[in-house]
Amino acid sequence: MALSGKRSHPPALKDSAGDDYYLTSSVIGDFSIVDLRQSLLNWYYQFSRDLPWRHSRDPYAIWVSEIMLQQTQVKTVIPYYERWLEWFPTVEDLAMADQQRVLKAWQGLGYYARARNLHLAAQELVKHHNGKFPDQLEVAISLPGIGRTTAGGILSAAFNQPVPILDGNVKRVLVRLVALQIPPNRAIAHLWQLSESLLDPQHARDFNQALMDLGATLCTPHKPDCPHCPWKLYCQAYNLGIQSQLPMTETRAPIPRKMIGVAVIWNDQGQILIDRRRQSGLLGGLWEFPGGKLEPGETVEGCIQREIREELGIEIQVGDRLITVEHTYSHFHVTLNVHHCQHISGEPQPIECDEVRWVTLTELEQYPFPKANVQIIEALKQKAAE
Ligand code: SF4
């Protein structure tokens, strides 16, 4: 079967010359799709990565791995994955767990909405699906936090279903295979169609895993190892010598920086005040040291005093600087200017958060905190040990 088969195409793309540009027709040329599938599978059977979740056919375990692997590298994910399954071995265990424990298990992986959605979806599965992960695509993608590529990854790996995937690695491989010379986000429907056309329906599990391995090990963002690639004969980018220039990127505005004043507020009993962020939004449900954004012309000390008054309704005295923490999120950088503070008056109120608590330095360990706040805890511990 040739790639230029009978499928209907998404609307035509325009290439740089303004001509129609179909990914699945003439661009790959006359190579048989069978050759593409077979060469990739042969390579995979020889060089596949040995990953813990590949030893499982349990859709729950595979689902957990797929969610953790979004925006996170394999070597970082492995210890989290193993501990997660120890803490929450089944969908039911996860559904019944306290959200704070779920966030604690995720602490350090970032993008915490992933953990909150896993938890919510587990509860939904227990409530409506008898605790079983669905084997139908439409049902899978209706669950919180499961998009089309995640569903494809789970259904192909767990049930060997011929459902395509299109994560970042796969996108890069396909873009290079057809030498797509526009930014891939402008050709998503076409790339999905290409992924679907290539997928071997008889070996969906292995084919999708192979595609992911190719993107992760040979077709890397920088310096792809084309001489060892099973698709080097077919790859348009390699044959044109433009593999390192693809995928094309959109020009991006520089990432903004936010200056934040953060308070480590002590009371007379030597306890520290922490607050739990609202469920919605970035880092929802996690605990943090209170504070907020500096307004134009404001000093760090002034900002901390104002934020604490507005957010918690208390008066404090701002003291010495404890630490400055730099952290980068996907769309902005933050500089946390952290100061020791002393509680003066008022009962802390959760005005802008879900909950507030006075805790000891040792008790801080029990709470899930964002990565940038973990550095503050380390600094506090170091100070206490001096
Ligand atoms: S030949 Fe090179 S650019 Fe093409 S798919 Fe293989 S590794 Fe990627």
Side-chain angles (χ1 to χ4, degrees):
M1 181 170 98
L3 274 176
S4 48
K6 292 181 189 126
R7 288 175 183 285
S8 61
H9 297 290
L13 292 169
K14 301 288 178 194
D15 64 15
S16 48
D19 295 327
D20 283 357
Y21 185 97
Y22 289 110
L23 294 184
T24 52
S25 56
S26 59
V27 215
I28 291 197
D30 297 330
F31 292 116
S32 147
I33 197 167
V34 174
D35 293 339
L36 278 156
R37 288 174 180 162
Q38 205 49 59
S39 54
L40 183 64
L41 285 170
N42 288 344
W43 170 81
Y44 177 71
Y45 293 138
Q46 222 182 328
F47 299 108
S48 63
R49 292 176 296 170
D50 182 17
L51 303 172
W53 41 90
R54 288 193 179 163
H55 297 286
S56 176
R57 293 285 181 267
D58 174 5
Y60 167 62
I62 293 165
W63 168 35
V64 170
S65 74
E66 285 284 337
I67 300 293
M68 286 186 171
L69 286 164
Q70 292 166 359
Q71 286 125 342
T72 311
Q73 290 188 339
V74 165
K75 65 174 189 303
T76 308
V77 163
I78 289 175
Y80 278 93
Y81 169 80
E82 287 171 345
R83 192 181 57 178
W84 186 277
L85 291 182
E86 273 170 34
W87 286 21
F88 318 113
T90 64
V91 174
E92 286 79 8
D93 293 318
L94 177 58
M96 285 186 310
D98 182 73
Q99 192 203 48
Q100 292 300 289
R101 189 163 157 80
V102 172
L103 292 173
K104 190 71 192 168
W106 201 270
Q107 183 172 299
L109 268 184
Y111 300 99
Y112 289 85
R114 295 183 292 173
R116 291 195 304 273
N117 282 332
L118 258 172
H119 192 211
L120 282 176
Q123 289 168 340
E124 211 167 292
L125 288 182
V126 167
K127 204 165 164 197
H128 301 296
H129 301 275
N130 211 14
K132 300 259 176 299
F133 195 91
D135 58 4
Q136 291 158 296
L137 181 64
E138 309 73 52
V139 186
I141 55 179
S142 72
L143 292 167
I146 299 191
R148 191 172 165 194
T149 195
T150 304
I154 300 167
L155 296 187
S156 58
F159 307 115
N160 205 22
Q161 281 195 21
V163 187
I165 54 171
L166 191 65
D167 67 6
N169 281 338
V170 173
K171 227 183 265 176
R172 184 171 59 253
V173 172
L174 299 185
V175 159
R176 286 171 173 168
L177 179 67
V178 298
L180 178 70
Q181 292 179 57
I182 54 174
N185 285 346
R186 296 193 210 163
I188 289 300
H190 298 257
L191 290 168
W192 270 111
Q193 194 186 49
L194 181 57
S195 182
E196 191 176 357
S197 307
L198 290 169
L199 177 59
D200 185 337
Q202 307 304 320
H203 304 94
R205 174 185 296 125
D206 292 344
F207 186 88
N208 277 348
Q209 310 275 11
L211 210 46
M212 287 190 260
D213 278 12
L214 184 60
T217 63
L218 296 183
C219 199
T220 48
H222 307 290
K223 296 196 184 144
D225 186 2
C226 302
H228 292 105
C229 177
W231 278 356
K232 67 178 179 224
L233 275 183
Y234 321 108
C235 178
Q236 300 291 301
Y238 180 50
N239 287 294
L240 292 167
I242 57 170
Q243 66 273 22
S244 297
Q245 296 158 37
L246 299 181
M248 292 181 82
T249 50
E250 305 273 7
T251 38
R252 276 191 170 186
I255 299 181
R257 175 174 298 278
K258 296 183 183 181
M259 295 295 280
I260 312 285
V262 178
V264 173
I265 306 169
W266 297 88
N267 65 12
D268 292 339
Q269 289 75 49
Q271 293 169 308
I272 300 165
L273 189 61
I274 57 173
D275 69 77
R276 187 155 58 86
R277 292 175 69 94
R278 290 204 168 133
Q279 288 291 323
S280 53
L282 185 73
L283 310 173
L286 292 178
W287 291 81
E288 66 176 5
F289 298 95
K293 215 163 94 186
L294 262 76
E295 289 186 351
E298 201 173 34
T299 62
V300 170
E301 288 83 352
C303 160
I304 291 175
Q305 209 135 33
R306 174 185 55 75
E307 286 284 345
I308 299 308
R309 194 178 295 134
E310 288 171 2
E311 290 188 5
L312 303 171
I314 58 171
E315 292 302 324
I316 54 166
Q317 186 179 349
V318 182
D320 295 342
R321 191 187 72 89
L322 169 66
I323 187 176
T324 303
V325 179
E326 299 286 347
H327 192 74
T328 301
Y329 293 98
S330 53
H331 294 97
F332 58 92
H333 302 289
V334 286
T335 303
L336 304 183
N337 303 279
V338 189
H339 280 247
H340 286 291
C341 301
Q342 183 62 42
H343 176 236
I344 296 178
S345 63
E347 189 62 30
Q349 308 293 320
I351 300 168
E352 301 261 334
C353 57
D354 274 355
E355 197 182 341
V356 289
R357 246 178 232 189
W358 289 107
V359 295
T360 63
L361 188 49
T362 327
E363 286 167 346
L364 283 175
E365 289 291 341
Q366 300 161 16
Y367 294 85
F369 279 90
K371 210 172 190 170
N373 276 226
V374 172
Q375 288 187 51
I376 302 173
I377 297 172
E378 288 307 315
L380 282 168
K381 281 202 232 155
Q382 237 173 30
K383 278 267 173 215
E386 280 170 7

